Amino acid sequence: MNGDRFTVTYRLRCDRAQVEARAEAVALEQSVELPAAAVTDHRVRDDVMGRVLAIRQRDEREFDVDIALAEETVGRDAGQFLNMLFGNTSLQDDAVLVDVTVGATFAARFGGPRFGIAGLRELAGVRGRALSCAALKPQGLPPAALALLAGTLARSGIDIIKDDHGLADQSAAPFAQRVTACQRAIEEAQSVSGSRALYAPSITGSLEDMRRQLGVAREQGVRVALIAPMISGVSNLATLACDAGVALIAHPALAGAARILPPLLLGKLFRLFGADATIFPHAGGRFGYTLADCAGIADAARHPWHGLAATMPVPAGGMSVERVHGMREFYGDEAMFLIGGSLLLAGDALAARCRAFVDAVAAPYAHQDSRHD
Amino acid sequence: MNGDRFTVTYRLRCDRAQVEARAEAVALEQSVELPAAAVTDHRVRDDVMGRVLAIRQRDEREFDVDIALAEETVGRDAGQFLNMLFGNTSLQDDAVLVDVTVGATFAARFGGPRFGIAGLRELAGVRGRALSCAALKPQGLPPAALALLAGTLARSGIDIIKDDHGLADQSAAPFAQRVTACQRAIEEAQSVSGSRALYAPSITGSLEDMRRQLGVAREQGVRVALIAPMISGVSNLATLACDAGVALIAHPALAGAARILPPLLLGKLFRLFGADATIFPHAGGRFGYTLADCAGIADAARHPWHGLAATMPVPAGGMSVERVHGMREFYGDEAMFLIGGSLLLAGDALAARCRAFVDAVAAPYAHQDSRHD
C-alpha cells in the first residue's frame, strides 16, 4: 500500500473529442469501478484509483492511452493481475490491451520461468543450436499407437515430443495409460539411439486434476508438461510454476488474436507467470499472426527483464521442414521449432522426414538477422 | 467411444468460393489437428474427426457452419470442452463461436447449476418478485468501511450484496478480514431489520486459493460466492460447483464481447458448468452488448434444457434505479437486477436510494413482454 503503480497501454477506437473522457472511463473501470465523484475516500483516490498518464494519437480514430494502476490492487495473484489489466474492459469492443510495464519488485511477486531457456536446454542436453519439437496426434488413437509414434520421433532425433493440445484425459487414451506408454517408448528410443528426447504430456482440467496428472507423469520420469493457460487459468499456471518441478510449455489455445496483443499475452504475461516455453503460430501458417506479432512475442519472451529467466519461443501452427531455414533466419537459434501435422503427412517416410527436420534445425548457418547479432 | 457427437456453429468471414474448404479446415483444427490425408486410422476418421454438417450463407461474406465434433474428445472436463469448441480457432480472426448443441447425457457430465434460480430464491427467501443485488466497492477501502457499506445495503433491503469483482486478497482488505467483517455486518442488519440479505464474496486465484477462501467464508456463514470463470478457468468453476456447497455467481470479466457470442458463453456454457447466476452487461450501460445479446443470454440461462437447473440472469453494468422498470419489462421477474456505482453516487442518501431500488424491484407490475406470458 505504498502507492506503487504499473502502467498499462490500451488502444482505443473513438473520436478525438471523446478520447480523454474514454481514457478516464477505462482508468476508473479497471480500478475503482465507480464514477470518480463516488470515490470519497482520500487514500483510494490517491493510491488506488486509475490515473491517465498519456494519450497518443495513432490514427484518425485510434489512440494509445497509458494508464497507471496500483500494484496493491493485484496482490500476488496472476489471475487478479489479468483481471485488473482487462477484466471489464474486455467487454468493451472499442478497446485492445496493448502492453504493460511493471517494476522489478512487482515482477518478482510472480517469479517468471523456473526453468526457462537455459533449464530446457539443460533438460534436453542441447547447446549451440535451436531445439526441435513435434506433436503426438491425432486425438482418438489408443496409447499404443501414440507410443509407437513417440518412439519413431525420438529415434529420429526430435528433442521435445509433446502431446497435441487436444489430448486430455479421454477414453481413447486415458492420461495415465497414455503417459506411461509414451514415456516408456521414448526411454526405449533413448537407450537404442542415444536420443535425449523429452516427452511433454498435455495436462488439463482443474488444478487438482493437473496435480494428479503431474504426479503420475513425474512418477514415470516426465520432466516437461504442456498447459493452455487461457483455458486452465493463469493462476493455476503460476501455482504449478512455483511447485510442480517440471518445465511448463504454454499453449495459446483460447488466447484469441485481437483483443490482447499477442506479444503481451503469449510473450510477456505467460513469461511473468512462469511459462518456460511459449507456443505461438508463426506468420504464414494456418493462423492470422503477422511477422510483427511473432517478432514481438519472441522479443517479449527473451529480452532481459528484471532478472526473470527467458522463455523459449516456440513458433508453430502449420510449419514444415522447408520453412525451418527461414524461421532460423527470423528467430535465431534461441528458439524451439515445432512441426506437427506436416511430419505426419509423410506416412511411412515419417522417420526420414523427422531426420530432415532435425538436420535443418542443426545445420551450420550464419545468421543474418540483426536482432541476433 | 460410441461415436456420439455435439454440434458446434461457427460464423466464418470468407468468400463463397472458399467457405467449404474453410469449414473443413475448422472441422479438422477442432478435432484431429491434422490434414485429413494424415488421418489413417479408420476409427479416428469415423468417430473422432470433425465433420461439416451444414453451411448457411448469412451475408455476402458471412456464413454459419455447423460442425459435428465427437463427445469422446471432451472427456468430462469443462476446460477441455472449451478447448474443443474454440481452442485453436480462437486464434483465427475470421471465426466466431456462435453456438453448441449437446445431448442430455453429455450435459449430465457437467451437471449445471446445483442451486440455480430456485436455490438462490430459497437462500434469499424471495418468491414472487425479482431479486436485487448491489456491490461492495471501491477496492482499496479497509474491511471496516466495506462492512459499513454492507450493513447499510442489507438494512435497506438489498437481497444479495456481492464484492466488486476487483476485490481479491489484497493488503487493503485481506480476504479473511474483509469477509468476516462484511458477513458480521450483514448478520447484524438481519437481526435488526428482518433483512435476509446474503453476502457473496469474490473468490480469486488458483483452485487451492479459492478453496481456502471458501473455507473461511463458509465458516463465517457465507452461502454464495462470486467467481470470474474466464479468469479462474472453467474447470475450476465446474469443480467448485460439484463440491463447494455454495451458490456461485459468475462474473463476465475477460469474457470479451465478440469472439464467443455472449449468449453461448455467459448463458449456455456458464450454466452447463455450474453457475447459479450469471452477471452480464445490460444494453445501454457502459458496455457494448445489444438487446439481442441480452435476451439471448437470459434465454440460454433460463430455458428448459436437458433437466439442468436454470441459471439466474443478472443484468448489470451501469444500471440505475430509473432503469429497473424497463429491465423488469425486458427480463421479467425471474431475474436479479444489479446496481453498483449508481447507488454509491448517492453519498449520504445511499440508504434512501437503496430503498427506492428495492421498491422498484418489488413494485406490483403487469408484465407485457410476450416472452414471459
Side-chain angles (χ1 to χ4, degrees):
Chain A
M1 313 217 305
N2 51 6
D4 285 341
R5 303 249 172 181
F6 53 92
T7 304
V8 195
T9 304
Y10 300 93
R11 189 158 294 163
L12 302 179
R13 250 185 305 105
C14 63
D15 291 334
R16 181 76 194 87
Q18 295 164 343
V19 68
E20 279 169 37
R22 190 70 190 89
E24 280 298 332
V26 172
L28 295 172
E29 191 72 55
Q30 292 305 122
S31 58
V32 292
E33 246 197 284
L34 276 177
V39 182
T40 51
D41 184 284
H42 287 287
R43 197 194 79 78
V44 173
R45 286 188 84 93
D46 292 345
D47 291 353
V48 178
M49 207 163 80
R51 198 183 296 151
V52 177
L53 299 181
I55 297 176
R56 292 180 297 282
Q57 186 151 12
R58 284 172 53 87
D59 210 333
E60 198 190 327
R61 297 191 71 246
E62 192 172 84
F63 301 85
D64 274 1
V65 173
D66 293 339
I67 291 175
L69 298 179
E71 290 184 354
E72 69 164 85
T73 64
V74 171
R76 309 182 70 83
D77 175 41
Q80 175 64 6
F81 188 31
L82 209 48
N83 189 23
M84 295 322 299
L85 288 174
F86 206 46
N88 270 8
T89 298
S90 81
L91 307 175
Q92 296 170 322
D93 53 16
D94 64 347
V96 167
L97 177 62
V98 172
D99 201 5
V100 62
T101 306
V102 302
T105 316
F106 186 82
R109 292 187 195 179
F110 301 100
R114 302 314 195 276
F115 291 79
I117 292 181
L120 274 172
R121 286 191 172 283
E122 177 85 25
L123 286 175
V126 174
R127 286 163 183 259
R129 64 163 172 84
L131 278 75
S132 58
C133 182
L136 300 181
K137 51 171 98 176
Q139 58 175 211
L141 289 181
L146 293 167
L148 194 69
L149 178 56
T152 303
L153 295 171
R155 279 190 306 276
S156 308
I158 302 290
D159 296 310
I160 295 196
I161 297 159
K162 71 165 195 67
D163 278 348
D164 193 24
H165 85 288
L167 293 182
D169 196 7
Q170 296 136 330
S171 54
F175 185 88
Q177 294 172 39
R178 177 175 93 241
V179 170
T180 304
C182 292
Q183 177 69 10
R184 192 167 307 150
I186 286 172
E187 285 173 3
E188 283 171 14
Q190 290 172 342
S191 68
V192 300
S193 73
S195 148
R196 291 195 53 174
L198 296 166
Y199 173 42
S202 166
I203 57 173
T204 58
S206 74
L207 178 59
E208 287 155 4
D209 295 332
M210 292 190 287
R211 282 209 190 282
R212 260 193 305 272
Q213 293 164 7
L214 282 171
V216 169
R218 272 190 313 253
E219 209 164 90
Q220 298 299 321
V222 167
R223 306 293 308 276
V224 188
L226 180 79
I227 183 171
M230 296 312 287
I231 291 176
S232 73
V234 292
S235 300
N236 292 325
L237 164 63
T239 298
L240 292 176
C242 264
D243 65 14
V246 301
L248 296 169
I249 302 176
H251 190 282
L254 212 70
R259 300 298 310 287
I260 306 181
L261 291 197
L264 173 60
L265 184 60
L266 307 183
K268 201 179 256 193
L269 292 178
F270 282 7
R271 178 184 181 185
L272 185 65
F273 301 151
D276 299 292
T278 183
I279 299 175
F280 58 91
H282 184 56
R286 299 196 305 275
F287 301 88
Y289 285 36
T290 65
L291 282 174
D293 290 333
C294 295
I297 295 168
D299 284 348
R302 295 187 299 202
H303 73 81
W305 190 35
H306 297 319
L308 297 181
T311 296
M312 181 76 91
V314 189
M319 294 299 104
S320 61
V321 174
E322 289 66 30
R323 298 204 54 185
V324 170
H325 184 84
M327 287 200 289
R328 290 181 67 194
E329 194 161 32
F330 189 76
Y331 294 103
D333 278 354
E334 205 71 316
M336 177 155 75
F337 302 115
L338 166 55
I339 302 183
S342 157
L343 292 177
L344 301 187
L345 265 176
D348 291 344
L350 171 64
R353 195 79 185 135
C354 287
R355 284 191 296 273
F357 174 29
V358 168
D359 289 345
V361 170
Y365 173 67
H367 289 294
Q368 304 297 317
D369 188 315
S370 62
R371 282 178 303 123
H372 305 289
D373 279 352
Chain B
M1 310 218 303
N2 52 6
D4 285 340
R5 303 250 173 180
F6 53 91
T7 304
V8 195
T9 304
Y10 300 93
R11 190 158 294 162
L12 302 178
R13 249 184 305 105
C14 63
D15 291 334
R16 181 77 196 88
Q18 295 164 342
V19 67
E20 280 169 37
R22 189 69 191 89
E24 281 298 333
V26 173
L28 296 172
E29 191 72 56
Q30 292 306 122
S31 58
V32 292
E33 244 197 289
L34 277 176
V39 182
T40 51
D41 184 283
H42 287 289
R43 198 194 77 80
V44 174
R45 287 189 83 92
D46 292 346
D47 291 353
V48 177
M49 206 162 81
R51 199 183 293 151
V52 177
L53 298 181
I55 297 176
R56 293 179 298 281
Q57 187 153 11
R58 284 174 54 87
D59 210 331
E60 198 190 327
R61 298 191 72 245
E62 191 173 85
F63 301 85
D64 275 1
V65 173
D66 293 338
I67 291 175
L69 298 178
E71 290 184 355
E72 69 163 85
T73 65
V74 171
R76 308 182 71 81
D77 175 41
Q80 175 64 6
F81 188 31
L82 208 50
N83 189 23
M84 297 322 299
L85 288 173
F86 206 46
N88 271 8
T89 298
S90 81
L91 306 176
Q92 296 170 322
D93 53 16
D94 65 346
V96 167
L97 177 62
V98 172
D99 202 6
V100 61
T101 305
V102 302
T105 315
F106 185 81
R109 291 187 196 179
F110 300 99
R114 302 314 196 275
F115 291 79
I117 291 180
L120 273 173
R121 285 191 172 284
E122 178 85 24
L123 286 175
V126 174
R127 285 161 184 260
R129 64 162 172 86
L131 278 74
S132 57
C133 182
L136 299 181
K137 53 171 102 180
Q139 55 174 215
L141 289 182
L146 294 167
L148 194 69
L149 178 56
T152 302
L153 296 171
R155 280 192 304 275
S156 307
I158 303 290
D159 295 311
I160 295 195
I161 296 161
K162 73 164 194 67
D163 278 347
D164 193 24
H165 85 288
L167 293 182
D169 197 5
Q170 296 137 331
S171 55
F175 185 87
Q177 295 172 38
R178 179 176 89 241
V179 169
T180 304
C182 292
Q183 178 69 10
R184 192 165 309 150
I186 286 171
E187 285 173 4
E188 282 170 15
Q190 291 172 342
S191 68
V192 300
S193 73
S195 148
R196 290 195 55 175
L198 295 167
Y199 173 42
S202 166
I203 58 172
T204 58
S206 74
L207 178 59
E208 288 155 3
D209 296 331
M210 293 190 287
R211 281 207 190 284
R212 259 193 306 273
Q213 293 163 8
L214 282 170
V216 169
R218 272 190 313 253
E219 211 163 88
Q220 298 298 323
V222 167
R223 306 294 308 277
V224 188
L226 180 79
I227 183 172
M230 296 313 287
I231 291 177
S232 73
V234 292
S235 300
N236 292 326
L237 164 63
T239 298
L240 292 176
C242 264
D243 63 15
V246 300
L248 295 169
I249 302 177
H251 189 281
L254 212 73
R259 302 297 309 287
I260 305 181
L261 290 197
L264 172 60
L265 184 60
L266 307 183
K268 202 180 254 193
L269 292 178
F270 282 6
R271 177 184 182 184
L272 185 64
F273 301 150
D276 299 292
T278 184
I279 298 175
F280 58 92
H282 184 56
R286 299 195 306 274
F287 301 90
Y289 286 37
T290 65
L291 283 174
D293 290 332
C294 295
I297 294 168
D299 284 350
R302 294 187 300 203
H303 73 81
W305 190 35
H306 296 320
L308 298 181
T311 295
M312 180 77 88
V314 190
M319 295 297 106
S320 61
V321 174
E322 289 66 31
R323 299 203 53 183
V324 169
H325 184 86
M327 287 201 289
R328 289 181 68 193
E329 194 160 32
F330 189 77
Y331 294 103
D333 278 353
E334 205 71 317
M336 176 155 75
F337 301 115
L338 166 55
I339 302 184
S342 157
L343 292 178
L344 300 189
L345 264 177
D348 291 344
L350 171 64
R353 196 79 186 137
C354 287
R355 284 192 297 272
F357 174 30
V358 168
D359 289 345
V361 169
Y365 173 68
H367 289 295
Q368 304 298 318
D369 189 315
S370 62
R371 282 179 302 126
H372 305 288
D373 282 352

